[in-house]
Amino acid sequence: MKIELFIPCFIDQLYPETAFNTIKLLEKCGCEVYYNSAQTCCGQPAYNAGYWEQAKETGIKFLNDFSETDYIVAPSASCVGMVKNGFNDLFTNTTVHNKCRNVQGNIFELSDFLVNVLKRDYFGAELEGKAVYHDSCSGLRECKIKEEPRQLLSKVHGLEMVEMKDTDMCCGFGGTFAVKFDAISSAMAEQKVNNALEQGAEYVISTDLSCLMHLQGYIDKNNISLKTMHLADVLASGWLESTEY
């Protein structure tokens, strides 16, 4: 199965290891992974800030960078949510309407693709410790992902998963929201971190590095003993090479 890999711009620039781990997971499932190095952004920052004409320019480039026939997989529910939902505002009843619909039907967030398309939830991963899962706004509400990440994490050796209070509440990032409303954003991050600590968690795991980047910033600033990890990094950790898949 050929997979076109979509790596969001902030992952490309700040968290490249997560991109490589995504490839490792897909190849472990027998997929042929193709990466178009010309790809850039999905247009979400401009879209959320109200600059829809600029978002359209970036969105059209996105549509041209990916095919209409192959699966497209990304380790970011936020960016997948933008393509699946935000593109409706930008391209409905335009000259690229049909192309947009075809791409929307083919794009998947990583955990959704692994569990619901490839039917795989075990990778021999190993991570010792206790963790909570943070439901990102985009993952839960735009991509309708909830059980898929938990199913994958339940198969990680040594990892104890516990549910934290208000797991589906926003972490406070929200892109430009964190810049425009710094005090509110920080208070929301504090609440999320405290909810994780109440469960004795050592890790906060999510499908969105934008959320995790925001939470890690608060954690580091306050010298808190807690670590954030992307789902792909967890699933690719401590692989037992002798395990049969």
Side-chain angles (χ1 to χ4, degrees), residues 111 140-141 146 172 201 211 225 232 234 236:
S111 70
L140 187 64
R141 298 172 178 85
K146 184 174 179 66
C211 298
S225 181
V234 175

Side-chain angles (χ1 to χ4, degrees), residues 124-131 153 155-161 202-203 205 227 229-230 233-235 237-239:
E126 184 173 354
L127 180 65
E128 293 289 337
K130 181 183 287 189
L153 291 169
K155 302 296 179 67
V156 176
H157 296 282
L159 187 62
E160 179 187 355
M161 294 299 301
E202 300 165 75
Y203 301 98
I205 302 169
K227 182 180 180 181
M229 290 187 71
H230 188 277
D233 300 325
V234 175
L235 297 180
S237 63
W239 273 1

Side-chain angles (χ1 to χ4, degrees), residues 22-79:
T22 299
I23 296 173
K24 287 170 62 177
L25 290 167
L26 292 170
E27 289 182 340
K28 178 72 78 172
C29 295
C31 298
E32 176 188 352
V33 182
Y34 171 75
Y35 176 75
N36 180 0
S37 60
Q39 65 179 268
T40 53
C41 180
C42 63
Q44 183 179 185
Y47 174 83
N48 287 344
Y51 295 98
W52 282 20
E53 289 304 314
Q54 290 83 347
K56 284 181 182 179
E57 295 177 12
T58 307
I60 288 174
K61 182 182 186 308
F62 180 94
L63 294 175
N64 290 331
D65 285 339
F66 293 91
S67 75
E68 299 177 58
T69 56
D70 296 324
Y71 284 117
I72 304 164
V73 179
S76 170
S78 175
C79 296

